[in-house]
Amino acid sequence: MRPFTYSRAADPAAALASAGRFIAGGTNLLDLMKLQVETPDALIDINHIGLDRIEPEGEGLRIGALVRNADLAADPRVRRDWPLLSRALLAGASGQLRNRATTGGNLMQRTRCPYFYDLDTPCNKRAPGSGCSAKGGFNRNLAILGWSDACIATYPGDMAVALAALDAEVHVEGPAGKRSLPASGFHRLPGDSPERDTNLEDGELITAVTLPAPTAGRQIYRKVRDRRSYAFALVSVAADVVMDGPRIGRAALALGGVAARPWRVPEAEAMLAGQAPSDDLMGRFADRLLQGAQGHGDNDFKIPLARRTVIAVLRQAVSAGDRT
């Protein structure tokens, strides 16, 4: 690990006035620093700036950026009204990591593409312009949607996939003031600048995530992975489906593990609204959601896997007898 300075901020204003990288749980950043993938000159500890509360906001909920993943998953309001979020959090990492990881830090975690962590191989995300070793290399866990010639990495988290399906908002504060971004648009596709994972501007600090009023829909998070625990998703599906009698009133579905951001297609969801569930409808929805998907050899299997998983989740969501 290269030398760096360390300081603690007492409030958000002090953090924003400091020059350096923000650190809270450090569950990903410290690993990257040990490997010298990340080499910040200064770390600003933001653990004590007071953004560690979960509070009502209108009919929704405001989650401070420093709320620990374990506390958020266990919050009785979240478990009752937004169980999708609780389930996604519990599907990620280990209990020890969830005790340290924060809401804001979870959103900021970086790809687990093996070439990003290997300083001896080219990687446009780590070293822009150096090339992409994953294309033509081992790419089993990498993107089938939204990738570019410069990068085929995936965003690895679970929480963000649930937040995208729940229409959550991410609130940030920076040199230009305060603003909010939809959770579904917080992360970026790689394009020609894969080194940028998110739409945050330089110096901006995540302050909170807000959840809108609960929909009373059937909420499901299904994560397909190589082993039962402590593994990143090959494919995940977050769904919030509201039934209107025998028909689908509203459906929101986001995919994880398939792109550099949670993958949600509103045009596909519109196909479901007002329709009676059928295998044909679910198949057409999955095809629209995965339109343009293309593998890279090792990960070709993800396309049929994602299609089957989406259909299975939809069948469960519209089933009158299964609300898990």
Side-chain angles (χ1 to χ4, degrees), residues 10-44:
D11 53 48
L16 290 167
S18 304
R21 289 287 300 276
F22 302 129
I23 186 168
T27 57
N28 187 207
L29 179 56
L30 289 179
D31 285 343
L32 293 168
M33 291 175 66
K34 291 173 187 174
L35 294 169
Q36 298 191 9
V37 175
E38 299 260 19
T39 56
D41 294 324
L43 290 183
I44 315 299

Side-chain angles (χ1 to χ4, degrees), residues 8 57 77 113 150 233 282 308:
R8 287 180 176 172
E57 181 161 293
R77 294 163 293 187
C113 175
M282 295 176 194
R308 289 195 300 270

Side-chain angles (χ1 to χ4, degrees), residues 229-247:
S229 66
Y230 202 53
F232 296 102
L234 295 168
V235 171
S236 65
V237 178
D240 182 12
V241 178
V242 180
M243 297 299 291
D244 182 9
R247 297 181 179 273

Side-chain angles (χ1 to χ4, degrees), residues 69-92 98 158-159 162-163 166 211 219 221:
N69 286 177
D71 294 332
L72 182 57
D75 186 276
R77 294 163 293 187
V78 173
R79 295 180 63 188
R80 182 189 64 224
D81 294 331
W82 300 275
L84 173 58
L85 177 56
S86 181
R87 291 167 185 157
L89 286 163
L90 293 174
R98 290 194 294 270
D158 296 285
M159 183 189 75
L163 293 179
L166 291 170
L211 297 171
Q219 298 183 11
Y221 187 72

